[in-house]
């Protein structure tokens, strides 16, 4: 028996006035999700604990059964893993953004006009900077990148340079503990920030951008300093091979650190469904992350959220036969209300379908339809155990 | 106000195709359980946490409010206590099975053809073996027994000799930690294994068994090494006298270690009900374990499970008056699906009836009827506190 998790990123929402106080999931036409809700068991899921507001990285750790309070060491190392960088245990990694700043380092745009080309050249120039310590800067998709400081004598206890808003200055990195290593690392980061501006501000790529009326990518904003957490591999922990299909670097980064097969999600929804079934040929567990509902939430666009649900629902139809013999879990990794345009800690709906579930009376899948379901309310950290039990894979504790 | 727990061992099941995707509890005719469900509060119970797969020993510790993660030290000492052996704190106890092996120690039958007589003589022969350390071997019911190694310099960190399957050789006991005590204990166990075969293989009892076409009881398989956990007595912890009525040695063993009154369960169901009321004359708390549903589950026999529920339900009728003034809890200690023939970690149904419960809309007692009940979903470790509260016995925390 196989196990598939379909994680709709930021799917859950709050009642929206324009939708008659319904959520996108409540108004969307999604016959296949509803069929699964009818056949399965449903309930509310606390990804961490009631109300706890989290990122998708923390959410996916919890969903995969790795307690974030133990394993989450910051965004940097997960991003680094996500773009394929192998980190040593002493390395300190940061999530990085190309940004636009004025001469006095006031942030004009945190994403450098969502720069989409020329970042390899800028990356090359950055890597030639001398800050007195080995480092790797790697640009990834669009404005995104990762900075890794390498070697002994560093600390991950330093604050972000990213002010997380525009119109204010780039922050000075500060040591977050009173150690020589933290002070040294903060100094290195501040020097990096100054030198990056020197190297990038009049770089050929930026001269060209200005000529085209685009914002300069003349700063790197850093956040989420961390060392790589030491994970027990997925295979060792659960005794089965697992794969993860995702677009987002940080989700892929988690999967890679767990030793799972990492697969780049295709664009077309039906193709993603096919990717799941291909991955199931080599794995007993597959997690598919669907990023788009979260993006629609961040954009405050409920119409797009509804449309995505309806598109994705067609792909869900590919699993109606599958659940005759295998198990499917559909959930949201957190709520991203279009009203708030960011994640909130509201509990999310979950459904589990498969051959031997004690099916309940729920007939549709939504935030409010599931609360009367069989599962009542469970926590994400128990989910892997719950599914290994349903597929009869657990060792017995006691006699 | 008295408190009675009726624990149906392995009662809960999964939907069964042959029963129209219903469970034995859903199809059984059980008017008295249903009456109690109507009058009481109902819900789902996680014995440990969602999906966690456990044995009845761990389950009963949790149901009685003793956290298994703290108190469970293996099956051996609970079995030893169950057959009335008093253990010292240094002793290491093993659950033992009479088994049948070939000359090269390949296991032919893990229960020696479910031997039912002559084990006292074999026990005597075993106790005369010299393995360089004091020990007690005690045969209990049928193929079952206990080995206790006595004295200082022993360890409970040794592996089982029981391979848990037939057609493979008796396992060599191995030290599970790198200590002189663990190595010594493993050596003692391995010598015990060799000498047991020497003494039993041509023993008069076995010669006689062969003559009658039965399997020899020429080996003792050992498992579940452990030292006696140090329990706070039931009476001290809860301030009330408790009794436990059971057939299974390991359940009785737990009760004895908790200082509860231990009563051998009679065969007839109505007699068991009488035993509960007799025990209530001397105790404020009585737990009755009903073993048969679990046996039916292990045998994969849903018809028998249904029949047992219907028989037991008549006895449940004895409690309809009782709950006017006192409290009754009915639960399953784990799920034993007839499809899987062993325990699974699925949540179980629970009902609580008594004079002041906030009764709900549930009208029948089953895995799926209770999920909409008042209790929602609770954990076994909270159950004793819950019942002490309902019977107004708790001290106030705070002012």
């Amino acid at each position: 028996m196989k196990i598939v998790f379909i994680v709709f990123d930021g799917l859950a929402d709050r009642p929206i006035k324009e939708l008659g106080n319904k959520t996108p999931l409540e108004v969307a036409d999604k016959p296949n999700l509803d069929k699964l809700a009818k056949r399965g068991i449903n309930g509310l899921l606390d990804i961490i604990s009631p109300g706890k507001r989290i990122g998708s990285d923390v959410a996916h750790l919890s969903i995969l059964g790795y307690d974030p309070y133990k394993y989450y060491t910051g965004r940097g190392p997960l991003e680094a893993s996500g773009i394929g960088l192998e980190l040593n245990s002493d390395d300190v990694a940061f999530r990085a953004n190309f940004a636009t700043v004025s001469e006095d380092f006031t942030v004009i745009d945190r994403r450098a006009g969502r720069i989409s080309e020329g970042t390899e050249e800028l990356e090359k120039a950055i890597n030639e900077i001398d800050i007195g310590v080995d480092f790797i800067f790697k640009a990834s998709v669009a404005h995104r990148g990762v900075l890794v400081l390498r070697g002994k004598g560093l600390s991950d206890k330093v604050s972000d340079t990213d002010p997380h808003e525009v119109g204010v200055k780039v922050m000075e990195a500060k040591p977050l503990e009173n150690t020589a290593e933290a002070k040294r690392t903060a100094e290195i980061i501040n020097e990096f920030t100054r030198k990056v501006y020197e190297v990038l501000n009049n770089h050929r790529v930026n001269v060209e951008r200005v000529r085209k009326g685009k914002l300069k990518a003349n700063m790197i904003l850093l956040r989420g300093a961390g060392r790589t957490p030491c994970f027990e591999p997925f295979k060792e922990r659960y005794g089965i091979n697992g794969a993860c299909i995702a677009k987002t670097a940080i989700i892929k980064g988690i999967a890679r650190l767990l030793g799972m097969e990492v697969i780049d999600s295709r664009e077309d929804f039906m193709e993603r469904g096919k990717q799941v079934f291909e991955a199931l040929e080599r794995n007993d567990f597959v997690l598919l992350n669907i990023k788009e509902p979260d993006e629609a939430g961040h954009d405050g666009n409920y119409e797009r959220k509804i449309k995505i649900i309806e598109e994705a629902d067609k792909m869900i139809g590919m699993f109606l036969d599958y659940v005759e013999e295998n198990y499917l879990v559909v959930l949201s990794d957190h709520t991203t209300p279009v009203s708030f345009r960011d994640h909130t800690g509201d509990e999310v709906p979950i459904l589990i379908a498969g051959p031997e579930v004690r099916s309940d009376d729920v007939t549709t899948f939504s935030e409010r339809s599931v609360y009367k379901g069989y599962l009542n309310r469970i926590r994400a950290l128990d989910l892997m155990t719950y599914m290994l039990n349903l597929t009869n894979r657990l060792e017995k504790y006691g006699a």
Side-chain angles (χ1 to χ4, degrees), chain A:
Chain A
M1 282 184 287
K2 307 279 186 173
I3 304 167
V4 169
F5 282 18
I6 297 185
V7 182
F8 283 92
D9 212 296
L11 172 69
D13 214 303
R14 293 175 176 172
I16 298 167
K17 282 212 184 88
E18 293 85 339
L19 296 177
N21 283 318
K22 291 190 188 275
T23 68
L25 200 49
E26 286 173 334
V27 301
D29 182 35
K30 45 171 180 40
N32 293 313
L33 278 168
D34 292 347
K35 273 180 202 159
L36 289 173
K38 273 195 199 92
R39 286 162 63 169
I41 48 180
N42 303 267
L44 290 176
L45 183 70
D46 288 304
I47 300 294
I48 304 288
S49 54
K52 184 76 183 172
R53 189 177 169 230
I54 52 170
S56 288
D57 45 5
V58 164
H60 279 73
L61 283 175
S62 193
I63 289 164
L64 290 167
Y66 292 79
D67 186 351
Y69 290 119
K70 181 174 172 194
Y71 289 103
Y72 188 68
T73 58
R75 182 168 185 168
L78 303 181
E79 289 273 0
S81 167
I83 60 171
L85 287 176
E86 293 271 344
L87 264 59
N88 302 328
S89 61
D90 288 328
D91 294 351
V92 176
F94 300 77
R95 162 68 196 264
N97 264 20
F98 281 102
T100 311
V101 297
S102 65
E103 258 176 70
D104 69 350
F105 283 19
T106 299
V107 177
I108 293 163
D109 190 314
R110 284 183 61 245
R111 297 182 185 87
R114 290 194 180 268
I115 183 169
S116 59
E117 48 195 26
T119 53
E120 307 83 353
E121 274 187 73
L122 298 176
E123 170 189 303
K124 211 178 150 211
I126 291 168
N127 279 314
E128 282 164 9
I129 295 172
D130 179 8
I131 52 171
V133 64
D134 282 349
F135 73 93
I136 304 160
F137 175 82
K138 192 163 174 190
S140 60
V141 180
H143 58 279
R144 301 176 186 88
V146 166
L147 173 70
V148 177
L149 302 183
R150 179 147 285 175
K152 305 245 176 231
L154 297 166
S155 168
D156 58 348
K157 299 291 182 293
V158 292
S159 63
D160 298 349
T161 64
D162 187 343
H164 298 269
E165 54 181 322
V166 298
V168 298
K169 290 199 182 178
V170 176
M171 309 283 279
E172 206 177 331
K174 297 219 167 91
L176 296 175
E177 61 177 22
N178 189 17
T179 61
E181 290 79 7
K183 280 178 204 156
R184 175 173 175 244
T185 308
E187 280 164 21
I188 289 168
I189 287 308
N190 291 327
E191 189 176 351
F192 176 82
T193 298
R194 287 188 296 273
K195 291 201 170 162
V196 156
Y197 179 80
E198 284 170 23
V199 166
L200 296 192
N201 193 42
N202 295 311
H203 189 281
R204 201 194 58 76
V205 169
N206 278 325
V207 172
E208 185 71 4
R209 285 181 70 79
V210 171
R211 209 180 51 79
K212 290 184 180 162
K214 291 180 177 170
L215 289 169
K216 281 183 181 181
N218 59 358
M219 180 48 70
I220 297 294
L221 298 176
L222 300 173
R223 56 188 155 126
R227 287 210 163 88
T228 302
C230 183
F231 290 110
E232 182 186 12
F234 186 90
K235 174 77 187 281
E236 276 176 34
R237 190 164 188 136
Y238 301 125
I240 52 175
N241 285 318
C244 176
I245 306 170
K247 278 188 196 176
T248 318
I250 202 163
I251 307 297
K252 290 190 280 189
I254 290 169
R256 184 167 290 121
L257 287 171
L258 297 180
M260 298 170 77
E261 184 186 352
V262 179
I263 300 165
D264 276 315
S265 175
R266 294 184 197 133
E267 279 301 315
D268 180 82
F269 274 108
M270 300 308 275
E271 286 296 313
R272 294 186 210 180
K274 279 188 204 162
Q275 283 184 297
V276 172
F277 286 103
E278 283 162 19
L280 285 175
E281 289 169 18
R282 301 178 298 275
N283 297 279
D284 285 326
F285 175 90
V286 176
L287 184 152
L288 169 64
N289 174 276
I290 297 177
K291 186 63 188 164
E292 287 86 346
D294 184 56
E295 291 169 348
H298 282 281
D299 292 343
N301 188 337
Y302 58 81
E303 283 168 347
R304 186 161 134 68
K305 213 173 194 181
I306 294 166
K307 196 155 164 282
I308 289 157
I309 295 164
E310 295 182 342
E311 271 183 49
D313 187 70
K314 297 192 183 82
M315 182 267 287
I316 294 289
M318 296 170 78
F319 291 89
L320 294 178
D321 287 340
Y322 162 90
V323 297
E324 295 287 334
E325 304 284 341
N326 304 281
Y327 285 85
L328 176 68
V329 181
V330 179
L331 71 154
S332 178
D333 67 336
H334 53 74
T335 298
T336 308
V338 296
S339 64
F340 185 58
R341 296 181 174 224
D342 202 345
H343 307 185
T344 62
D346 314 38
E347 53 286 301
V348 297
I350 179 170
L351 80 78
I352 301 173
E356 285 198 321
V357 295
R358 295 167 178 162
S359 53
D360 57 31
D361 295 340
V362 174
T363 57
T364 177
F365 184 68
S366 76
E367 297 87 348
R368 280 186 282 205
S369 61
V370 300
Y371 80 80
K372 289 181 183 166
Y374 173 81
L375 285 170
N376 281 277
R377 186 177 191 123
I378 59 172
R379 294 194 183 207
L381 211 51
D382 291 318
L383 198 51
M384 282 300 303
T385 302
Y386 200 84
M387 296 316 298
L388 292 172
N389 170 62
L390 275 177
T391 56
N392 301 328
R393 285 190 169 94
L394 288 184
E395 294 291 314
K396 192 158 53 179
Y397 173 41

